[in-house]
Amino acid sequence: MNLAITTESLTKKFGAFTAVDAISLEVAQGEIFGFLGANGAGKTTAMRMLTGLSRPTSGRASVAGFDVSRQPEQIKRNIGYMSQKFSLYEDLTVKENIRFYGGIYGLSLKNIGIKTEQLLEELDLREVSKTPVKSLPLGWKQKLAFSISQVHDPAIVFLDEPTGGVDPITRRHFWELIYRAADKGRTVFVTTHYMDEAEYCDRISIMVDGKIAAMGSPSALKKEHQAPSINELFVRLARVTTAGLG
Amino acid sequence: MSIHHISKSYGPVQALNDVSFEVSKGELFGLIGPDGAGKTTLIRILTTLLLPDSGEARVIGLDPVKEFRALRKHVGYMPGRFSLYQDLTVEENLNFFATIFGTSVRENYHLIKDIYSQIEPFKDRKAGNLSGGMKQKLALSCAMIHEPEVLILDEPTTGVDAVSRKEFWEMLHRLKDRGITILVSTPYMDEASLCDRVALIQNGHILNVGAPADLVKSYSRHLWAVKASHTLRLIEDLRKHPAAYSAFPFGDSVHLALKGELAEGELLDYLSKKEHREIEIKAVEANIEDVFMELMAKKQAV
């Protein structure tokens, strides 16, 4: 099994507060991995370490074959990242956004040209290629943001609550894009507050107070904990601690 | 609360299009729809913060346009964005809102005791340094301190984890039990079942209004929940079936909505021939998302 992400006792402390407490996990290449946890459980801090934005206090992690402590710059170049809050530049056109991110990720002008054509075709956005992104419907923006996050063909893409506030049809179309990307061998590491989406993942982990309280396939976890749904399991595990710092 | 033919545009964007519905006294009413549906615009009109282009509304018998001063005394409002003073402490914020409304925390402490007591140990902490769940509790306490008859909450659970969401709804139910009328908006469709009645809203249009159970009963299509080892291929193959109306992932299975009828055996044969493995098929009742998606598709087809 090829591993896209491995962590060993990965830990981050802020002063006396341990935000991420010795988490160990492995994510296989091509896997859809759901990273769940209550607000303040340490998800964002863990994600920042895995994307090379924050140095671990102790422990190790390797992402796309690079060490998060020693090679954060290589990690940034070899992963994709998309969140609901930060994705596209609304005032730039579809084409300009592709060119901008292509440039950021160091693609040659020639490759940017090829990639632009390919994306416009695949996403069926040729007719609006010169339209500012802000005037596109939300569903189109999302698929564009998702594709642009992978304009440099990274082995792994991190999605941080990509579907918040989206209508139920658009949300499902978005998950089909995730399935397709994983089908092509891309690893998808995703956080969400929609517990039904947790069920779409190959495996999930649930963080509670900086630690991984449960990890496995949704069906195995439901069986193990005799929970009717992941929502139920999540509430059961996470409810014990609610006064955590956000 | 009554809302009659309310419309509102921002330049070329029509945020609300002829919106009408009523909320009974003592009801816990949900306004349910995705981002951009018009929820916040409607709430801002009802809370006297925005003028409608046309139509009219009444909240506890008062007109939010002409009688805004009187109305504000009786409405508790919790905006979508945390809008308390971040550099005041928990206690200072509460005192501030009590004073603004001409009352005191001591006088109305009984109203908020249930919620406020949970954050009282942190009363000297600055509001900006609270966790998400604690901010919510403080905002709700501040919205309640002047003993409003009506509470209007704009997406109080957005971006909040499943545990805090559950607790927040438990608080709302306790307030409802005390006779307070509550209008709450949310993009999480599964929260519909926690309301007495809901309005489903999309692109400024009300898609339907009713008790969640009645809305679900109004769904007319046959639905199968299907599982197989390869979900993406399953979705694609289900959509190719001539009897399929739609196929979308729902939790751990795919909901196949039918145009007409399709027997379980026939569906099983079809999927077996397409070499799916570990096939499970089961009849399911629609949930509120199935209903919303069906109504959305109908609206778009018009």
Side-chain angles (χ1 to χ4, degrees):
Chain A
M1 181 170 72
N2 264 333
L3 292 175
I5 301 173
T6 57
T7 76
E8 281 170 50
S9 304
L10 187 67
T11 300
K12 181 79 184 186
K13 291 183 183 173
F14 297 104
F17 177 65
T18 306
V20 176
D21 193 357
I23 63 170
S24 299
L25 57 84
E26 292 181 340
V27 181
Q29 193 62 45
E31 194 170 26
I32 302 175
F33 190 86
F35 195 56
L36 314 182
N39 301 107
K43 273 183 329 226
T44 305
T45 306
M47 192 99 147
R48 286 177 58 81
M49 287 193 279
L50 295 178
T51 50
L53 296 173
S54 167
R55 297 282 176 88
T57 309
S58 62
R60 292 194 314 140
S62 150
V63 174
F66 298 101
D67 184 276
V68 295
S69 300
R70 286 180 286 110
Q71 300 166 296
E73 291 312 309
Q74 280 93 325
I75 287 179
K76 286 179 209 165
R77 257 173 252 148
N78 286 282
I79 59 169
Y81 177 82
M82 173 191 168
S83 80
Q84 195 204 0
K85 286 171 207 125
F86 175 75
S87 49
L88 303 173
Y89 286 89
E90 296 267 305
D91 292 323
L92 297 184
T93 67
V94 169
K95 235 174 160 170
E96 285 166 345
N97 265 291
I98 300 174
R99 205 177 106 200
F100 177 79
Y101 278 99
I104 289 278
Y105 282 118
L107 266 59
S108 68
L109 273 179
K110 189 178 154 216
N111 279 337
I112 291 175
I114 295 170
K115 202 75 200 181
T116 303
E117 287 307 303
Q118 188 194 328
L119 286 186
L120 291 178
E121 193 63 42
E122 266 176 30
L123 301 175
D124 200 14
L125 291 176
R126 195 173 292 284
E127 274 179 27
V128 293
S129 70
K130 289 179 181 149
T131 306
V133 159
K134 66 179 166 212
S135 48
L136 296 183
L138 185 62
W140 297 18
K141 267 190 226 177
Q142 272 211 323
K143 65 180 182 180
L144 180 62
F146 183 71
S147 300
I148 282 183
S149 74
Q150 296 152 67
V151 72
H152 53 309
D153 286 319
I156 306 169
V157 59
F158 288 86
L159 307 173
D160 195 3
E161 287 177 38
T163 57
V166 169
D167 73 67
I169 294 183
T170 304
R171 199 152 73 79
R172 286 176 174 78
H173 282 310
F174 189 79
W175 269 89
E176 287 174 40
L177 292 178
I178 295 180
Y179 282 135
R180 292 223 163 82
D183 210 39
K184 284 188 220 149
R186 190 152 289 154
T187 305
V188 181
F189 191 91
V190 57
T191 71
T192 178
H193 282 312
Y194 290 98
M195 290 300 126
D196 62 329
E197 293 188 347
E199 311 250 9
Y200 304 162
C201 300
D202 295 321
R203 280 192 313 139
I204 59 170
S205 69
I206 300 177
M207 258 183 106
V208 178
D209 279 352
K211 296 191 178 73
I212 289 180
M215 182 157 57
S217 75
S219 58
L221 284 177
K222 282 187 283 184
K223 210 173 277 170
E224 183 190 333
H225 294 266
Q226 298 183 340
S229 66
I230 293 298
N231 185 52
E232 174 80 34
L233 173 63
F234 182 90
V235 170
R236 227 188 270 167
L237 289 175
R239 182 154 242 181
V240 279
T241 57
T242 46
L245 296 158
Chain B
M1 234 178 283
S2 69
I3 294 141
H4 289 293
H5 305 291
I6 293 259
S7 292
K8 175 76 188 177
S9 295
Y10 302 108
V13 179
Q14 183 142 36
L16 292 175
N17 193 331
D18 195 21
V19 166
S20 299
F21 63 84
E22 289 180 345
V23 179
S24 309
K25 191 168 161 45
E27 208 171 21
L28 173 50
F29 191 95
L31 186 59
I32 297 187
D35 289 358
K39 304 188 296 295
T40 298
T41 299
L42 182 59
I43 283 179
R44 291 175 64 87
I45 288 171
L46 295 174
T47 50
T48 77
L49 301 172
L50 196 65
L51 299 174
D53 295 341
S54 58
E56 59 176 43
R58 289 285 182 280
V59 179
I60 53 163
L62 298 170
D63 181 337
V65 178
K66 294 192 192 104
E67 298 163 292
F68 67 94
R69 276 182 204 282
L71 182 54
R72 282 177 191 176
K73 292 197 184 84
H74 303 286
V75 174
Y77 169 49
M78 186 170 151
R81 229 174 244 167
F82 183 68
S83 52
L84 303 179
Y85 293 91
Q86 310 255 4
D87 50 1
L88 294 185
T89 66
V90 167
E91 196 175 30
E92 285 167 344
N93 266 293
L94 193 59
N95 278 325
F96 177 81
F97 282 93
T99 310
I100 287 269
F101 285 104
T103 179
S104 67
V105 174
R106 191 192 294 171
E107 197 176 326
N108 281 337
Y109 185 79
H110 63 285
L111 297 172
I112 58 163
K113 184 173 176 281
D114 197 27
I115 301 157
Y116 186 66
S117 61
Q118 299 175 46
I119 50 171
E120 216 166 1
F122 311 97
K123 67 181 165 56
D124 295 325
R125 192 180 285 185
K126 289 204 166 120
N129 297 335
L130 296 176
S131 72
M134 281 157 65
K135 278 182 181 164
Q136 265 189 331
K137 285 172 188 151
L138 178 58
L140 186 57
S141 301
C142 291
M144 286 293 301
I145 194 66
H146 60 300
E147 201 174 4
E149 290 170 50
V150 173
L151 198 54
I152 298 183
L153 312 155
D154 194 4
E155 297 202 22
T157 55
T158 292
V160 174
D161 66 67
V163 177
S164 307
R165 275 167 59 190
K166 192 159 182 236
E167 287 183 342
F168 196 82
W169 278 96
E170 286 163 3
M171 287 190 279
L172 292 187
H173 279 273
R174 284 197 292 272
L175 292 174
K176 176 195 140 69
D177 290 343
R178 298 214 312 243
I180 296 169
T181 306
I182 303 172
L183 175 73
V184 54
S185 71
T186 176
Y188 296 105
M189 308 264 153
D190 58 339
E191 294 183 345
S193 64
L194 304 168
C195 303
D196 297 325
R197 287 193 311 136
V198 297
L200 305 180
I201 182 169
Q202 159 85 348
N203 288 336
H205 293 270
I206 298 291
L207 299 176
N208 208 346
V209 181
D214 293 337
L215 292 182
V216 164
K217 262 184 232 149
S218 72
Y219 186 85
S220 56
R221 293 185 188 280
H222 288 277
L223 265 187
W224 290 115
V226 188
K227 286 190 209 182
S229 51
H230 196 290
T231 309
L232 179 60
R233 217 157 53 74
L234 176 65
I235 294 170
E236 284 167 349
D237 285 337
L238 287 175
R239 280 189 192 148
K240 281 182 207 147
H241 195 285
Y245 168 74
S246 70
F248 285 110
F250 270 77
D252 62 359
S253 55
V254 175
H255 279 192
L256 172 68
L258 297 173
K259 281 178 197 153
E261 298 208 7
L262 176 65
E264 187 177 339
E266 270 180 79
L267 181 57
L268 185 62
D269 276 353
Y270 170 79
L271 292 174
S272 306
K273 273 187 200 131
K274 299 248 177 199
E275 292 173 358
H276 285 279
R277 269 169 294 153
E278 298 164 47
I279 305 167
E280 286 175 45
I281 300 171
K282 146 172 121 186
V284 279
E285 300 259 312
N287 69 27
I288 202 80
E289 280 198 309
D290 291 297
V291 174
F292 196 95
M293 287 160 73
E294 171 82 2
L295 292 170
M296 258 179 87
K298 265 189 197 152
K299 194 90 209 171
Q300 273 156 11
V302 169

